[in-house]
Structures are given as C-alpha cells and as structure tokens.
Amino acid sequence: MDLTLHVWRQKNGKDSGRLATYKAKNVSPDSSFLEMLDIVNQELIEKGEDAIAFDHDCREGICGSCSMVINGKAHGGQKGTTACQLHMRSFKDGDEIVIEPWRAKAFPVVKDLVVDRGAFDRIIQSGGFVSVSTGGVPDANATPVAKTSADFAMDAAECIGCGACVASCKNASAMLFVGAKVSHFANLPQGQPERMRRVLNMVEQMDAEGFGNCTNQFECEAACPKQISVRVIAQMNRDYLKASLTHEEAVPKT
Amino acid sequence: MAWIVRLLKSSLGAKYVMAITGIGLYLFLVGHVAGNLLLYFGQDAMNAYALGLRHLPYGLLWIARIGLVIFFGSHITAATYLTLGNQAARPVAYQSKRFMKASFASRTMPMSGFIVFLFLLYHLAHYTWRVVAFTGERVDSLGRDDVYSMVVAGFQQPLISGLYIVAMLVLGVHLHHGLSSLFQTLGLNNARYNTFFRRVFPLLGWVVVLAAASIPLSVMSGCIR
Ligand code: HEM
Ligand code: FES
C-alpha cells in the first residue's frame, strides 16, 4: 500500500520545526509501523537526506522507547500497544498519517520525534531507596503479601515509562506515571518504611519538572500501552494527602 | 505553617482545594435552589423565606456570605493556578490531537467555570445588589420586601430567562465532570463505588440545575405569575 506521511522534522532543541511530507510506497501490511519508517529512512539516506530520528530499542513493547503521536494519538491509539507493536494492517492504502513527537515542556524535543524523558528518571531518583534486608535469599513465603495487593503492585509495575500518559493528557500531566511508581511500592510490604517520604518527594519532583496537573479526564488510561488504571493516581492522591497531613518529613526544614 | 504552604503550592494540594471547595459550592447550590423552589408555593411562602434569611440569628447570614466568598475565591484561585500550569506544561500544541476518552465536560472545565463565574456576577447584580434589570422596589400586602414579584417580573423578560437557563445548563456541564472528578482527586477510586462516582453523581448536578432552570421556564410559560 501507498501512504502519505506528515512527519515532524526539527533539527534540534532550538529549531522551531515543521511537518514535512513524505511518500511511503509499496508498504507491506505485515510490516510494523517502525519498519515502515525504516524503509522511508533508507530512501532518505539513499537520496543523501537526513533520516527521520525516532527512539526505539526492543521493538516488542517492553522498553518504552518508541515515543510518537500517530494521527493525534499516542502510540497510534490501538488498545494496549506501543508504536512498535502497531502494524501497517491497521492502515488503508492512500491514508495520510501525521507523526509528531510527545509534546510537553518537561519533554523537550532533541531531534525530530526524539524527546528527552530525563524528567521521568529524576522523578524515579527522587523516590529514593526501599529498605530490603541483605543476606541469604529469604524463603519465598517469608513475607506474606495478600494476592490483591500483589496484583495491584504488579499492575502498577507494568509501567514502562514511555510517557504516553503525558503525551495524551490535555494538561501534559505525569500523574499516571508517578501514580504507577508510587502504587508499585505502596502495595508491597517492602515499600512501607519509606512510603510517605517517597510520595512526597516524587510529587514534588514531578511539579518541579513542569508537568501539568491531572483533571481526571482519564485520557492517559486509554493511551497507556500497559493499560494502567487511574486507580494508581487515586492511590497517589490518598498517600500524598496522608503524608502531607501526618508525616514529619512533610514539614520543611528551617 | 510552612507545611501548609508546601501542600497548597503542590499540584495535588491545589487539587484538594478544588475538590473540597467544589463540594461546599455544590451543597450551597442545593440549599439555594431548594429555597428558591418555594416560588412554586406562592408569594407568601417565598417572601417569608426571604425575610427569614435576612433575620437569621447570630449573624448567620454574614457568616454564610463570608464562607461563600472564601469558597468561591479559593475554588477560582486554585482553578486559575492549576489551569495556567496546565497551559504552560504544553508550550507547543499538537497539530493532530484526537481524544480517546476525555469527555467534553472534562475538557471544558476552565471555560464552563469561567462562564459560571460571569453568570454569578450578573446574578448578584440582578437580584442581590439589584443594579441591573431592576424593576423598582416592591412590598407585599404584609409590608415585606416582595422577592416573589421581583423574581417573576425579572423572568417575564425572555432575554433574562434565556440567560439564566443557558447558565444553568453550563453549570450542569461543569458539575457533570466536577461531581465525579472530586472523588478521584480525594483518592476515592474503588471498583465497588466507581459506578456511583462515574455514573450516578454526575446526575446529581443535573437534578439541581434543571430544578433551578425550571423557575424561569415556569414564569415564562405562566405556571408561576
Ligand atoms: C456554583 C459554582 C461552582 C460549583 C458548584 C463548582 C464545582 C466544582 C467541582 C465539584 C469541581 C471538581 C473538583 C475536582 O475535580 O476535584 C470543580 C472543578 C473545577 N471548577 Fe468549579 N464549581 C463552581 C464554579 C466554578 C467557577 C466560578 C470556576 C472558574 C472561574 C470554576 C472552575 C473550575 C475548574 C477549572 C475546575 C477543575 C476542573 C478539573 O479538575 O478538570 N468552577 N468545580
Ligand atoms: S521499541 Fe521498545 S516499546 Fe517500542
């Protein structure tokens, strides 16, 4: 099939960028979206032009690198999939496809479709450590965890940090990501000692990075390739409230 | 005190303020509309109620008024703070954005809130300060301020009635999202109750705004005169 692509091209952070139009000819419906871009890039390289820069790594939906907004939807909007898991059979011959980078102040464009997601790393860092006893491997049943808590923690832990939540949110809010990281540990016994400190620091870092504020539109939940529920945001909201009202470290040092 | 400042300056702190003041404003709205439904019970009931409000003991009327100013003020301040932050968080807009789940009501909260705020000013100028579209002092046969006739005369003007009805519909849209959203903001999200939070509570806003909108409709159709 033949497609017309409108791809965001931007040389670097200072360039203002623009949509450029490319033809993708003879695309196999069996190829993945990123393979289609590879083919277009190969042609660009052969013509001596600059290839379209996009992030990718695992190409199987586990690393979270492949950030792009396809026709107005993060990762193309197919339920529970990343851009690398999207296949060209989801498109029709003659389709026009607009491809843009994640748009957020906290995710500055590096080049074309590549954005700097360092803000997520700094939020994770601000969460600090969890206290785990070292020594011999403990017996598997030594620390009881209720099945429901373990399930919730594991669902939250599915987050691959791709940033689709931020990209899809009208407010460029990172609360699904931060909520997932908070809920991941808040529901396991190992996460308890630092639970209050963690939520305080992570929310503070999230605000400092310049993300927007959640207005409970739940667009993130629909866009998340791991289908993480906004339940994790409610958990963060609860924990932050409790920490702010009761935890000693919520009182700024003078 | 520093911890309160830290809390209020955070994104989540400002959101808690939105939710708590939102509940307060909704409860006020319920009381205010319920009181005004006394129009359906005639001139005497309405005027007695209005007089009663003005003669509440212990300065309760002023306490309520100051409370309302604080609630509206905090709600609007937090809304402005959060909305400006949201706009700053995406300096370059998408050229092709399409929403998958976000409802119309949720995406237009700042706009519907702003329209409600403009309406609020008009409403106060109309019936509280009585400086716009005022048709003169009236007293009833018992010498009481004739609120009943003032409201009826006000709503006999189609333009004014229309404005009130549109404003109530906009408030309905605002509450459609707000009355559901506030639970998530306060951390309440539980499969057991989500049907209530997401399907039932938005209707509670519509019940109240439609009851309020029924008053100008009833005046215009001659049910109340
Ligand atoms: C009778 C008047 C009003 C009532 C009953 C009301 C009620 C509410 C409620 C219950 C919420 C939900 C809070 C949450 O999501 O946690 C809300 C949110 C909001 N309100 Fe109001 N409100 C009123 C007037 C206003 C006014 C005058 C403005 C602005 C000038 C405004 C702007 C907003 C904004 C921007 C939000 C946040 C929306 C979001 O989270 O998506 N509201 N309101
Ligand atoms: S490339 Fe790893 S998730 Fe898409």
Side-chain angles (χ1 to χ4, degrees):
Chain A
M1 52 201 213
D2 295 339
L3 304 158
T4 309
L5 309 182
H6 304 281
V7 186
W8 187 259
R9 300 306 307 263
Q10 181 173 341
K11 284 197 180 65
N12 52 45
K14 290 194 191 72
D15 182 15
S16 55
R18 73 219 66 79
L19 284 178
T21 303
Y22 302 96
K23 294 277 177 209
K25 293 218 172 65
N26 286 324
V27 177
S28 156
D30 297 330
S31 63
S32 78
F33 197 82
L34 299 192
E35 280 163 354
M36 183 275 294
L37 285 180
D38 291 337
I39 295 168
V40 172
N41 270 344
Q42 192 57 41
E43 283 173 19
L44 287 177
I45 293 166
E46 281 164 15
K47 278 193 275 181
E49 288 178 36
D50 200 15
I52 301 163
F54 62 92
D55 261 333
H56 59 104
D57 187 19
C58 70
R59 297 208 177 198
E60 57 178 10
I62 55 173
C63 74
S65 302
C66 51
S67 53
M68 55 188 81
V69 169
I70 302 165
N71 282 344
K73 296 179 180 177
H75 293 298
Q78 181 177 283
K79 198 173 177 190
T81 40
T82 51
C84 59
Q85 293 172 301
L86 187 65
H87 283 79
M88 296 317 293
R89 55 178 172 269
S90 325
F91 296 88
K92 289 193 310 290
D93 186 44
D95 271 359
E96 307 234 348
I97 306 177
V98 182
I99 313 173
E100 295 180 81
W102 286 174
R103 295 278 185 211
K105 179 167 153 241
F107 288 162
V109 172
V110 176
K111 187 174 187 223
D112 300 341
L113 304 174
V114 178
V115 298
D116 177 359
R117 278 168 288 187
F120 271 10
D121 299 333
R122 291 186 289 277
I123 293 173
I124 300 258
Q125 271 168 14
S126 73
F129 54 85
V130 287
S131 298
V132 179
S133 307
T134 55
V137 179
D139 191 47
N141 300 328
T143 312
V145 186
K147 172 82 165 80
T148 47
S149 306
D151 285 350
F152 187 17
M154 287 307 138
D155 287 348
E158 273 203 65
C159 171
I160 52 177
C162 66
C165 42
V166 176
S168 62
C169 172
K170 180 171 173 278
N171 310 320
S173 166
M175 290 199 190
L176 191 71
F177 169 77
V178 182
K181 299 305 167 193
V182 164
S183 301
H184 175 174
F185 290 117
N187 290 288
L188 292 174
Q190 291 83 351
Q192 298 313 310
E194 299 82 15
R195 179 172 174 181
M196 294 289 111
R197 175 199 295 169
R198 186 180 316 114
V199 69
L200 284 169
N201 290 343
M202 290 181 93
V203 169
E204 200 135 288
Q205 187 64 35
M206 168 182 79
D207 289 348
E209 295 290 349
F211 289 107
N213 313 296
C214 173
T215 53
N216 304 329
Q217 307 186 4
F218 303 164
E219 189 69 13
C220 51
E221 187 181 82
C224 177
K226 298 296 152 189
Q227 297 177 283
I228 291 175
S229 158
V230 292
R231 228 181 124 189
V232 300
I233 303 182
Q235 168 100 59
M236 172 182 71
N237 293 350
R238 269 198 311 276
D239 279 12
Y240 187 76
L241 187 58
K242 184 172 175 208
S244 294
L245 297 182
T246 64
H247 188 59
E248 279 176 26
E249 289 172 48
V251 182
K253 293 195 184 63
T254 43
Chain B
M1 287 304 279
W3 69 272
I4 299 183
V5 176
R6 173 177 169 163
L7 174 59
L8 293 180
K9 273 166 70 182
S10 72
S11 52
L12 291 187
K15 275 168 55 68
Y16 303 143
V17 171
M18 294 300 299
I20 293 165
T21 55
I23 299 173
L25 293 176
Y26 174 72
L27 294 179
F28 159 73
L29 189 72
V30 172
H32 185 58
V33 171
N36 290 338
L37 288 178
L38 283 174
L39 277 158
Y40 286 108
F41 295 87
Q43 187 180 28
D44 183 52
M46 186 65 203
N47 290 353
Y49 163 70
L51 197 68
L53 275 188
R54 249 165 265 171
H55 291 280
L56 280 176
Y58 315 118
L60 275 177
L61 181 64
W62 277 101
I63 294 176
R65 281 179 171 164
I66 293 169
L68 271 175
V69 169
I70 293 174
F71 269 60
F72 267 111
S74 316
H75 192 79
I76 294 172
T77 309
T80 312
Y81 175 69
L82 290 168
T83 306
L84 290 179
N86 294 345
Q87 287 168 354
R90 176 160 296 136
V92 183
Y94 287 110
Q95 315 229 348
S96 61
K97 179 69 189 154
R98 286 207 310 221
F99 289 99
M100 291 187 271
K101 188 161 185 178
S103 66
F104 172 78
S106 74
R107 285 184 276 127
T108 51
M109 288 301 271
M111 186 45 80
S112 57
F114 185 65
I115 295 172
V116 170
F117 175 64
L118 293 183
F119 165 75
L120 178 73
L121 293 182
Y122 180 85
H123 178 54
L124 287 172
H126 186 198
Y127 284 144
T128 306
W129 305 323
R130 304 184 183 180
V131 289
V132 294
F134 185 49
T135 46
E137 290 294 339
R138 296 158 200 267
V139 286
D140 65 11
S141 56
L142 295 175
R144 297 175 298 199
D145 183 18
D146 194 356
V147 175
Y148 181 86
S149 304
M150 174 181 75
V151 173
V152 172
F155 286 150
Q156 273 166 351
Q157 295 151 276
L159 220 58
I160 292 185
S161 275
L163 186 117
Y164 272 77
I165 293 165
V166 170
M168 284 305 105
L169 295 180
V170 174
L171 182 56
V173 173
H174 193 78
L175 293 178
H176 185 90
H177 179 65
L179 290 180
S180 158
S181 164
L182 71 92
F183 295 97
Q184 168 82 4
T185 300
L186 294 175
L188 301 171
N189 177 326
N190 183 311
R192 235 177 250 113
Y193 309 118
N194 281 350
T195 313
F196 291 99
F197 296 157
R198 296 181 187 179
R199 305 250 177 271
V200 180
F201 289 129
L203 301 179
L204 296 184
W206 288 111
V207 170
V208 180
V209 298
L210 292 180
S214 78
I215 296 172
L217 278 174
S218 299
V219 172
M220 281 203 297
S221 63
C223 299
I224 298 179
R225 55 186 136 177

